[in-house]
């Protein structure tokens, strides 16, 4: 719902505009004004989203109203100029009016102008909402607000709650909380997983490789072998060995074998690099 102010010094023109606007359920006329002074007062009081502003008015015309709005630092609504002369069109767009309609107002032309204003308002409001959401999520997750806005634009989840930020590992009566982002790579040792972290420690986890893989974000980790998972941010290079096999060189100088069945997954990491 957009709050609307109608400004026109001709009573019959105002009445006709109010009648036409009554057909739009998404518009709420909060004031009608007969001159520029009344328009400034109404805009300051109601802070409408949209103003239908007559150009030719005695004393203070439509352009003068806009100048006063700017000089008084009043909230600037969307403006649709209403005029009997099409030579005002260029000047209307020079002051960033959303559109203009000629008198006598045609129903189709009015609808086009209103549709344009509603679309512009929804776009502005949506962007404002996205920016506010990005700032809140950024404070909660530590992700950059620009990254969050990009996810919103791509219709991706803002926060992926499926994958935990940390893994709890029980050992000898203690529980160690290992941050997922600190995991360099994982290899299997029978029914146990050896989790190697960037600080050089190795933690033993009682889970299967399949169970652990389901807990790790596939955008951050890649399965490279039946018994190995690697953090993609630790991969330095992919090497081909003389026997035709492949291995990864990690940033900690660790080498991890790549099996043939997982080779294509690993190559996706380097795609576009």
């Amino acid at each position: 719902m957009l709050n609307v102010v109608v400004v026109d010094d001709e009573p019959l023109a105002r009445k006709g505009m109010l009648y036409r606007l009554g057909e739009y359920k998404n518009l709420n006329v909060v004031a009608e004004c007969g001159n520029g002074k009344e328009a400034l007062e109404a805009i300051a009081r109601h802070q409408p989203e949209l103003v239908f502003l007559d150009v030719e008015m005695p004393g203070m015309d439509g352009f003068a109203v806009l100048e006063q709005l700017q000089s008084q630092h009043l909230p600037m609504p969307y403006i649709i100029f209403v005029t009997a002369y099409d030579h005002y069109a260029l000047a209307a767009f020079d002051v960033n009016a959303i559109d203009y309609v000629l008198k006598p107002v045609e129903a189709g032309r009015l609808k086009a102008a209103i549709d344009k204003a509603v679309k512009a308002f929804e776009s502005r409001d949506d962007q404002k909402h996205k920016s506010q959401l990005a700032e809140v999520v950024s404070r909660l997750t530590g992700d950059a607000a620009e990254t969050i806005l990009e996810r919103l634009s791509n219709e991706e989840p803002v926060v992926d709650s499926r994958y935990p930020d940390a893994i709890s590992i029980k050992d000898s009566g203690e529980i160690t909380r290992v941050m997922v982002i600190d995991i360099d790579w994982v290899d299997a040792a029978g029914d146990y997983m050896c989790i190697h972290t960037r600080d050089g420690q190795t933690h033993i986890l009682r889970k299967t490789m399949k169970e652990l893989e389901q807990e790790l974000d596939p955008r951050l980790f890649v399965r490279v072998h039946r018994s190995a998972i690697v953090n993609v941010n630790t991969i330095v290079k992919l090497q081909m060995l003389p026997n035709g096999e492949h291995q990864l060189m990690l940033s900690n100088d660790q080498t991890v074998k790549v099996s043939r069945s997982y080779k294509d997954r690993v190559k996706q990491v380097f795609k576009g690099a």
Side-chain angles (χ1 to χ4, degrees):
M1 180 71 72
L2 272 65
N3 289 325
V4 176
V5 169
V6 175
V7 185
D8 199 308
D9 67 312
E10 299 177 13
L12 286 178
R14 288 201 309 276
K15 184 177 181 180
M17 180 62 75
L18 292 173
Y19 176 78
R20 290 188 180 278
L21 296 181
E23 301 175 2
Y24 295 86
K25 304 302 181 183
N26 57 344
L27 302 182
N28 176 39
V29 178
V30 295
E32 56 173 298
C33 309
N35 55 57
K37 182 175 181 295
E38 290 180 2
L40 289 174
E41 294 173 351
I43 292 170
R45 182 167 59 253
H46 297 287
Q47 296 189 14
E49 287 79 33
L50 178 62
V51 174
F52 288 87
L53 184 59
D54 187 17
V55 175
E56 308 88 6
M57 293 185 295
M60 184 186 298
D61 65 15
F63 296 113
V65 169
L66 285 190
E67 291 176 1
Q68 286 296 313
L69 285 175
Q70 293 172 332
S71 65
Q72 296 178 28
H73 303 290
L74 292 173
M76 183 62 69
Y78 288 114
I79 302 294
I80 295 179
F81 277 112
V82 183
T83 175
Y85 306 99
D86 58 6
H87 64 261
Y88 283 113
L90 183 59
F93 288 112
D94 282 343
V95 294
N96 294 320
I98 198 73
D99 208 342
Y100 75 99
V101 294
L102 292 175
K103 296 178 180 179
V105 178
E106 297 179 355
R109 185 67 187 86
L110 178 63
K111 182 180 184 305
I114 291 173
D115 288 346
K116 186 185 294 185
V118 170
K119 184 177 180 180
F121 177 77
E122 289 177 343
S123 176
R124 181 184 71 174
D125 191 60
D126 181 58
Q127 187 59 40
K128 180 180 178 182
H129 171 72
K130 286 182 177 179
S131 297
Q132 291 172 338
L133 176 61
E135 290 176 5
V136 172
V137 174
S138 178
R139 289 195 295 268
L140 291 174
T141 66
D143 291 342
E146 292 80 5
T147 301
I148 297 166
L149 285 171
E150 184 177 353
R151 291 176 190 162
L152 288 168
S153 298
N154 295 332
E155 298 183 352
E156 298 174 357
V158 175
V159 178
D160 195 339
S161 58
R162 176 183 170 188
Y163 304 105
D165 294 328
I167 294 176
S168 297
I169 300 175
K170 297 179 182 180
D171 184 35
S172 302
E174 296 181 345
I175 299 177
T176 302
R177 190 167 183 264
V178 177
M179 299 303 296
V180 170
I181 198 171
D182 291 332
I183 299 174
D184 280 349
W185 67 294
V186 180
D187 66 329
D191 294 331
Y192 300 91
M193 297 295 106
C194 295
I195 297 180
H196 308 279
T197 54
R198 64 180 56 182
D199 59 5
Q201 295 190 53
T202 298
H203 304 272
I204 306 301
L205 178 66
R206 298 171 183 266
K207 279 188 178 180
T208 65
M209 182 65 74
K210 183 177 181 180
E211 290 172 335
L212 180 59
E213 185 178 18
Q214 291 175 345
E215 294 184 23
L216 298 176
D217 189 339
R219 294 171 298 183
L220 185 61
F221 291 89
V222 59
R223 185 86 173 263
V224 301
H225 194 278
R226 183 173 55 86
S227 58
I229 297 175
V230 173
N231 185 329
V232 297
N233 293 322
T234 68
I235 298 174
V236 175
K237 61 178 69 174
L238 175 63
Q239 300 173 319
M240 178 178 286
L241 303 178
N243 61 3
E245 294 184 346
H246 291 75
Q247 71 176 16
L248 291 173
M249 175 68 73
L250 306 186
S251 56
N252 59 5
D253 294 329
Q254 174 70 43
T255 58
V256 180
K257 182 180 178 181
V258 177
S259 68
R260 297 181 187 276
S261 55
Y262 291 96
K263 185 175 62 177
D264 290 339
R265 291 195 194 182
V266 174
K267 286 186 175 181
Q268 285 295 316
V269 175
F270 293 87
K271 190 174 181 180

